[in-house]
Amino acid sequence: MLVEVPSKAVTSPILTIDLHALARNYRHLAQRTGAAPIAMVKADGYGLGATEVCLRLWREGCRRFFVARVDEGIRLREALPEAEIGVLDGAVPGSEAALTAYSLVPVLNSLEQVDRWRRAAAEAEQLLPAALHFDTGMHRLGIPAAEVHHLSQDPGRIAGLDIRHVMSHLACADSDVVALAGKAEAESADEQVPDSRHQGQASPSEQQLEAFLKLRAMFPQGAASLANSAGIFLDPRFRMDLTRPGIALYGGCPWGQLAANPMEAVATLEAPVIQVQDVPAGATVGYGATWQASHPTRLATLPVGYADGYHRSASNQARVWFGNVAAAAPIVGRVSMDLTIVDIGHLPEGAVTPGTTAELMGAQIPVDEVAANAGTIGYELLTGLGLRYQRRYVDGE
Ligand SMILES: *Cc1c(COP(=O)(O)O)cnc(C)c1O
């Protein structure tokens, strides 16, 4: 006999993704930079669903999307037949046929990749699109400055390539935004605050900008881009022709702080309470009994755990929000695989019962707050959201 399995809607927490908020964040960045930014949609659109994210941003006028892996690009191509899709890993060995077949634009990170892609163009007897990624100090990916010099003196090496972008990536844009804001505050208060980190030197971002401008002068073709989300909030020189925001689109604070985030929350994680219980003073909670009630209180259990990407390191640290009484409640004890417990002893009697919805992340509990309480960053939290949630895409009211 077949038994009907309850739908996820009955049993699962809900991850709501507000595509209208995403679109407003995109518009905000486009207005600030004066050009439609490249949308960074790697890791499945920072965990929120690359296809849904890209289709919404396309409607907003976005025509350029970058992913990390070739197969991410292949999957996006179906949804976006006309978009420019860049692949940050570049022309890695064995990727040439797929890059060509799906009209992807590899971000060439080394002379070895340049050579491989030029040979692919020669073999295909067609002009192939490419981006050139210069390393300006992060030493992660990119062609080192000395090699960019060689390349500029050997134009045959990029023959057959249509250079669409010339780019580099900032290592410290977030902390430089914070440092700049601190400096501006000190200056307005007329204080003399020594910049202990840089000792009067140009900031790391300024040094990278200077290095990039020199390399750009050797390769004036295509659009120049340097700024990630945080870079957009440095001074306007960083914006160049195009910018490459990721986290800001998805509602994370570009410089990772809680105060004054200019972006709107996009992802909301909610769960229904599944059990409420009264416990006496001295009762302990969860694995390892890491929390003990100092007085009689009431606890509520939520069906979310680290298997859902709600980090165990948030144990005894993070909080949730009960919208029905507009009040927060702290997580007590350890977050376990499927469950998390909150102390609701301070809330009005009867306010929280099985079925009452708690927000674990969203407009009231910012992603950056949850991340900070779990000892990580919003990027890791979003990209680690599990597959068990019921996902709901909304667009506006
Ligand atoms: C991920 C990434 C970005 C976007 O960074 P955010 O900090 O999320 O805005 C931009 N450029 C490159 C090369 C990246 O890898």
Side-chain angles (χ1 to χ4, degrees):
M1 177 186 141
L2 280 174
V3 178
E4 201 173 309
V5 179
S7 76
K8 272 190 172 185
V10 179
T11 53
S12 305
I14 297 176
L15 181 64
T16 305
I17 292 141
D18 185 345
L19 296 172
H20 206 241
L22 171 87
R24 281 193 295 267
N25 285 339
Y26 187 80
R27 230 178 290 155
H28 178 105
L29 298 172
Q31 275 163 8
R32 196 177 172 93
T33 57
I38 299 169
M40 304 309 278
V41 297
K42 57 206 188 190
D44 198 26
Y46 286 45
L48 301 187
T51 302
E52 290 84 354
V53 161
C54 290
L55 288 174
R56 186 63 184 86
L57 292 178
W58 176 270
R59 274 174 52 202
E60 213 52 41
C62 182
R63 294 294 178 265
R64 301 182 180 93
F65 303 83
F66 277 22
V67 293
R69 306 277 117 85
V70 177
D71 38 315
E72 291 183 304
I74 292 173
R75 255 174 279 136
L76 263 193
R77 177 52 78 203
E78 197 181 339
L80 299 169
E82 291 166 47
E84 178 182 285
I85 301 176
V87 176
L88 292 166
D89 281 352
V92 295
S95 66
E96 303 92 315
L99 289 168
T100 317
Y102 291 89
S103 306
L104 305 174
V105 182
V107 177
L108 304 176
N109 295 303
S110 63
L111 291 186
E112 184 215 344
Q113 289 198 353
V114 168
D115 292 341
R116 182 175 299 117
W117 196 230
R118 184 194 62 250
R119 283 194 301 267
E123 226 162 274
E125 294 180 8
Q126 69 184 96
L127 196 63
L128 287 180
L132 292 176
H133 185 182
F134 303 147
D135 178 46
T136 54
M138 189 169 179
H139 301 122
R140 185 177 70 163
L141 278 179
I143 307 170
E147 294 181 16
V148 179
H149 279 266
H150 292 307
L151 189 60
S152 73
Q153 283 154 15
D154 187 4
R157 222 160 162 181
I158 54 168
L161 301 185
D162 167 21
I163 305 300
R164 300 262 183 93
H165 301 272
V166 172
M167 57 180 264
S168 189
H169 191 44
L170 297 170
C172 303
D174 51 352
S175 50
D176 285 340
V177 171
V178 174
L180 270 178
K183 221 164 138 195
E185 204 170 290
E187 277 168 12
S188 73
D190 217 15
E191 288 170 34
Q192 277 297 333
V193 180
D195 187 337
S196 57
R197 195 163 59 117
H198 312 311
Q199 307 283 6
Q201 278 179 6
S203 71
S205 298
E206 288 283 348
Q207 293 179 33
Q208 285 194 265
L209 174 64
E210 201 176 306
F212 183 57
L213 286 171
K214 284 191 189 136
L215 302 177
R216 167 64 170 167
M218 297 174 213
F219 286 90
Q221 58 269 66
S225 83
L226 180 61
N228 60 349
S229 298
I232 292 171
F233 293 84
L234 290 169
D235 79 68
R237 286 172 305 141
F238 285 88
R239 296 171 200 161
M240 314 200 87
D241 300 323
L242 290 174
T243 56
R244 302 189 310 270
I247 195 71
L249 295 173
Y250 309 104
C253 179
W255 48 94
Q257 297 201 337
L258 296 179
N261 180 4
M263 314 316 297
E264 230 179 292
V266 171
T268 301
L269 175 57
E270 293 168 308
V273 169
I274 56 174
Q275 183 177 335
V276 171
Q277 62 186 307
D278 293 312
V279 295
T284 61
V285 171
Y287 283 124
T290 61
W291 187 85
Q292 185 167 36
S294 60
H295 52 83
T297 191
R298 181 169 298 142
L299 305 174
T301 302
L302 298 167
V304 173
Y306 57 76
D308 302 296
Y310 194 77
H311 293 213
R312 185 170 178 273
S313 49
S315 301
N316 290 307
Q317 300 292 331
R319 55 187 197 135
V320 306
W321 182 259
F322 287 101
N324 63 327
V325 285
I331 284 164
V332 293
R334 285 211 180 121
V335 171
S336 51
M337 186 183 292
D338 314 308
L339 299 166
T340 295
I341 303 140
V342 295
D343 181 7
I344 55 167
H346 59 296
L347 301 183
E349 175 94 38
V352 173
T353 58
T356 304
T357 297
E359 175 189 307
L360 292 98
M361 178 178 85
Q364 299 296 331
I365 311 283
V367 56
D368 294 293
E369 179 191 309
V370 184
N373 283 329
T376 182
I377 54 175
Y379 302 71
E380 191 179 26
L381 196 73
L382 290 179
T383 55
L385 290 170
L387 302 171
R388 224 168 18 170
Y389 302 117
Q390 187 205 348
R391 283 192 177 221
R392 216 176 54 179
Y393 288 88
V394 298
D395 202 338
E397 280 22 82

